[in-house]
Amino acid sequence: MKPLPLLLSLVGLLAIMVVSLCLGKYPLQLAEISSFFRQEWFGGTALPTERMELLRNLLLEIRLPRILAAALIGAALATSGAAYQAMFVNPLVSPSLLGVLSGASFGAALGMVFFKNWYEVQLASFLGGVAAVLVAVGLARVYRISGTIMLVLGGVISGALFAALLSLVKYLADPYNQLPAIVYWLMGNLSLADRTTVLRVSLPICLGLGILMLSARKLNVLSMGDEEAAALGINVQQVRLLVITAATLISALTVVIAGAVGWVGLIIPHIARMLVGPDNTTLLPVSALLGAGYLIVVDDVTRLAFAFELPIGIVTALVGIPFFMLVLGNARKGWQ
Amino acid sequence: MALISLENISFRYRRQQVIQQLDLELDDGGVLALLGPNGSGKTTLLKLMLGILHPHGGTVRLDGQDIRRIPAKERARRLAYVPQVHREAFGYRVFDVVLMGRMPHAGFLGRYGAEDRRLTDEALERMGISHLSERPYTEISGGERQMTLIARALAQGARVLVLDEPTNGLDYGNQQRLLDRLMALKQDHYTCLFTTHHPDHARRVADRVVMLQQGAILRDGSPAETVTPANVATLYGLESCTEHHHTQGEHLCCP
């Protein structure tokens, strides 16, 4: 592990978070934010009560949860993307490879049609994501060929299946209320992130991130290919199951917070790899920090750049695609 | 007791039978060369011996113990695999690739210690590639990559090295250098097993040659008695082979 890049990206992320707290339709001064927190935690009377109320609502109820939501989603997608890329020995793999995003989208759409409670919709979304990955892994098992190719094909089939099921739900949904809600949600949207949800999912996401990062050295060996990893004493099936479980868990939870946010899991690991090299002990944490920072910045843009708020999934795709075309040339060199 | 013994091994991919009821015993020390045409099951046999693949019939034993009952980590401390040279997707430093050989000895979560790094440096030194240590594995030549993979096997600390076509894709000079390294390893009492497409390579370094044809053993014995023009012609389905005598030894020639 190289400590310097880690420290730099951590400092960068914290700076982005502080700046993002200031930014908004109602801009705040850094000095006022710091005196708010001082007064909130240590007491004092520098700021009048009404002002404190306003700031509390603005900072603690609106901006901070949203920044944390963006950070969690970015970190989760980027880390699971990097872990998948190492495991499948392919730098062009993304966390949605095993169909988790399609499954979670289907689950959420189904939830919006059948349930009233937002909590139930979130649960349905999470279960949908897990179901899609189980289908993918199950299909790979049916053919009794171990190895990553069958897993990838299983993921393609599972993704297509859940995309079709999603279309079915959309077709059956009430076109005046439910359909727009589903479509809007599928675009990926951080304005849905509320404090309760963010707090509820933060623990499992951090747990999943921890598991992936602790598997980093084994992932390094696994990225030499399954047979070599087995000859180097790795229990390939076991490590693969652990990584798939952790990556599925955290990517399904990002959909629970804010719908489908694409491209982060593909491009952030690339940038991180260009910066710090392929060693997963450094790559995974740096990807997490860069992913978090990146999504916070993109969210700031969606909030501020236009008169209306743009769904973040659209922006990550519009930024991600041209960027991906730029790095593709560089990525290809590695595996030709 | 044999170091590795294959007892009545059968293996198939789907419906295609690759290995047919094969028996083979490998003793401690020395170099064994596995010769055979494409598709004769050489690589499959290596993977069965390594415990990476499992036979559909028969048993593979390592020091008399069923290899399926030996934990992966323990197995990796005794047997090291040198795969065919490949291009890696990710540009790990050569040092880090060799360090991966220490995985079976690493502690909780695969943490490497100072001893692991020292042995890695030693393995690099031994293969004469210390100067490449910081270079990305994706940017060195095929010969250098092969040396890196052997260094990794040495770092692994196993006394048995299983090499899959180590001379494949190397230029003439690198082939000779590689064979010299194999000879040096033999002198250091490593047990080596390698597959090759060159009967001459088998003759130059091996103490024992096994000729494999369609998943069964055609000949098994010393290089002098196995690598003969007649046997080589039979093995590869050629009309005839002749022997050429040079100052540095004989070479087979098959027109």
Side-chain angles (χ1 to χ4, degrees):
Chain A
M1 198 198 284
K2 299 178 206 155
L4 186 65
L6 223 66
L7 202 67
L8 286 177
S9 23
L10 186 65
V11 170
L13 174 61
L14 290 177
I16 288 172
M17 287 176 133
V18 171
V19 171
S20 301
L21 271 179
C22 305
L23 298 174
K25 286 270 139 59
Y26 191 99
L28 293 170
Q29 295 292 320
L30 195 57
E32 198 178 16
I33 293 178
S34 79
S35 49
F36 165 77
F37 277 110
R38 229 175 300 139
Q39 195 161 331
E40 184 76 11
W41 289 330
F42 307 113
T45 50
L47 294 166
T49 324
E50 316 87 82
R51 189 68 183 164
M52 279 298 286
E53 270 312 309
L54 176 81
L55 289 176
R56 192 171 294 131
N57 184 38
L58 197 60
L59 291 175
L60 297 186
E61 294 295 325
I62 301 172
R63 285 193 193 161
L64 201 57
R66 187 156 173 159
I67 289 171
L68 286 180
L72 282 173
I73 295 172
L77 290 174
T79 310
S80 52
Y84 268 1
Q85 288 171 7
M87 190 171 77
F88 290 102
V89 203
N90 187 335
L92 298 183
V93 156
S94 76
S96 51
L97 180 77
L98 295 180
V100 63
L101 293 186
S102 312
S105 302
F106 162 72
L110 201 66
M112 284 186 214
V113 171
F114 288 109
F115 305 129
K116 291 280 173 289
N117 195 330
W118 187 238
Y119 173 66
E120 289 168 330
V121 175
Q122 291 176 331
L123 189 67
S125 164
F126 176 70
L127 292 178
V130 173
V133 173
L134 286 180
V135 168
V137 175
L139 281 173
R141 283 241 153 152
V142 166
Y143 295 98
R144 286 163 181 262
I145 297 175
S146 61
T148 49
I149 299 286
M150 281 318 293
L151 264 177
V152 173
L153 288 177
V156 170
I157 297 171
S158 167
L161 172 69
F162 281 89
L165 291 175
L166 174 64
S167 296
L168 184 67
V169 176
K170 278 190 194 165
Y171 182 72
L172 296 174
D174 161 26
Y176 296 101
N177 296 314
Q178 292 168 343
L179 188 58
I182 293 172
V183 170
Y184 184 61
W185 187 84
L186 285 178
M187 291 172 184
N189 213 308
L190 269 172
S191 60
L192 298 169
D194 58 299
R195 207 169 74 162
T196 338
T197 309
V198 173
L199 289 179
R200 199 182 286 142
V201 300
S202 60
L203 190 69
I205 287 188
C206 290
L207 189 73
L209 288 174
I211 290 175
L212 290 180
M213 286 176 197
L214 290 178
S215 315
R217 284 187 193 79
K218 293 190 172 170
L219 271 172
N220 282 351
V221 178
L222 212 56
S223 74
M224 304 300 282
D226 290 357
E227 286 179 341
E228 273 182 72
L232 286 166
I234 296 280
N235 189 331
V236 175
Q237 304 287 343
Q238 193 186 320
V239 176
R240 199 194 279 155
L241 183 70
L242 187 71
V243 169
I244 289 178
T245 307
T248 302
L249 177 81
I250 63 178
S251 15
L253 287 173
T254 66
V255 187
V256 167
I257 308 177
V261 181
W263 291 92
V264 180
L266 188 56
I267 61 167
I268 296 298
H270 265 289
I271 302 174
R273 204 172 288 118
M274 280 181 200
L275 293 174
V276 301
D279 180 358
N280 286 298
T281 55
T282 310
L283 179 68
L284 293 185
V286 167
S287 293
L289 295 169
L290 286 185
Y294 170 73
L295 215 61
I296 295 173
V297 170
V298 172
D299 186 45
D300 288 342
V301 172
T302 65
R303 285 192 292 149
L304 296 170
F306 309 96
F308 51 90
E309 199 187 309
L310 214 56
I312 194 168
I314 298 177
V315 182
T316 54
L318 288 179
V319 175
I321 293 167
F323 185 82
F324 187 64
M325 288 160 69
L326 279 176
V327 300
L328 196 60
N330 198 311
R332 264 176 42 216
K333 270 185 226 152
W335 45 281
Q336 257 176 353
Chain B
M1 183 171 54
L3 181 68
I4 301 176
S5 62
L6 306 181
E7 297 163 7
N8 199 23
I9 295 292
S10 295
F11 186 84
R12 56 178 190 275
Y13 286 109
R14 301 258 158 183
R15 284 198 201 124
Q16 200 197 343
Q17 196 75 29
V18 185
I19 306 283
Q20 294 258 33
Q21 298 175 330
L22 183 142
D23 288 286
L24 185 66
E25 289 205 335
L26 179 65
D27 291 317
D28 206 358
V31 175
L32 186 147
L34 208 53
L35 277 176
N38 291 329
S40 57
K42 297 189 298 293
T43 299
T44 306
L45 199 62
L46 288 193
K47 288 176 181 171
L48 287 166
M49 284 186 183
L50 285 161
I52 302 176
L53 290 179
H54 296 298
H56 295 107
T59 317
V60 180
R61 292 185 194 279
L62 177 60
D63 289 322
Q65 204 179 352
D66 186 344
I67 202 160
R68 299 189 75 155
R69 291 175 186 273
I70 304 176
K73 242 181 159 175
E74 175 59 36
R75 204 181 59 209
R77 289 180 196 166
R78 294 199 236 164
L79 279 175
Y81 174 43
V82 180
Q84 283 191 39
V85 174
H86 47 63
R87 252 208 103 135
E88 229 5 83
F90 302 113
Y92 292 104
R93 289 183 313 157
V94 166
F95 183 88
D96 289 331
V97 174
V98 177
L99 186 61
M100 285 182 201
R102 296 303 297 165
M103 181 50 90
H105 303 268
F108 183 57
L109 302 172
R111 266 186 184 285
Y112 304 111
E115 175 73 357
D116 296 321
R117 284 167 210 286
R118 190 184 64 75
L119 288 167
T120 301
D121 278 327
E122 208 178 280
L124 286 165
E125 180 83 27
R126 194 160 185 177
M127 296 312 292
I129 49 170
S130 294
H131 59 289
L132 300 173
S133 169
E134 296 295 317
R135 295 271 300 279
Y137 179 75
T138 40
E139 288 169 21
I140 59 178
S141 76
E144 291 167 339
R145 275 202 285 272
Q146 187 69 69
M147 293 301 177
T148 305
L149 293 175
I150 297 177
R152 187 181 72 186
L154 293 182
Q156 216 169 316
R159 301 303 299 174
V160 186
L161 305 184
V162 178
L163 307 95
D164 194 6
E165 291 182 24
T167 53
N168 199 22
L170 304 189
D171 66 32
Y172 184 76
N174 277 329
Q175 286 182 3
Q176 303 311 313
R177 272 186 281 276
L178 190 117
L179 294 175
D180 289 340
R181 297 282 176 196
L182 276 185
M183 295 289 267
L185 288 173
K186 180 168 82 174
Q187 247 116 60
D188 292 337
H189 309 292
Y190 279 94
T191 307
C192 299
L193 183 122
F194 74 106
T195 58
T196 178
H197 282 301
H198 296 274
D200 288 328
H201 291 172
R203 189 140 73 170
R204 192 171 141 199
V205 296
D207 304 304
R208 178 179 165 194
V209 176
V210 171
M211 291 179 158
L212 203 63
Q213 193 175 45
Q214 292 177 345
I217 293 174
L218 179 77
R219 294 281 187 281
D220 181 356
S222 73
E225 59 196 39
T226 50
V227 189
T228 59
N231 281 344
V232 170
T234 315
L235 184 66
Y236 294 102
L238 297 166
E239 305 230 318
S240 64
C241 282
T242 50
E243 229 163 344
H244 288 255
H245 294 271
H246 288 270
T247 42
Q248 294 182 336
E250 307 93 55
H251 292 264
L252 283 169
C253 182
C254 306

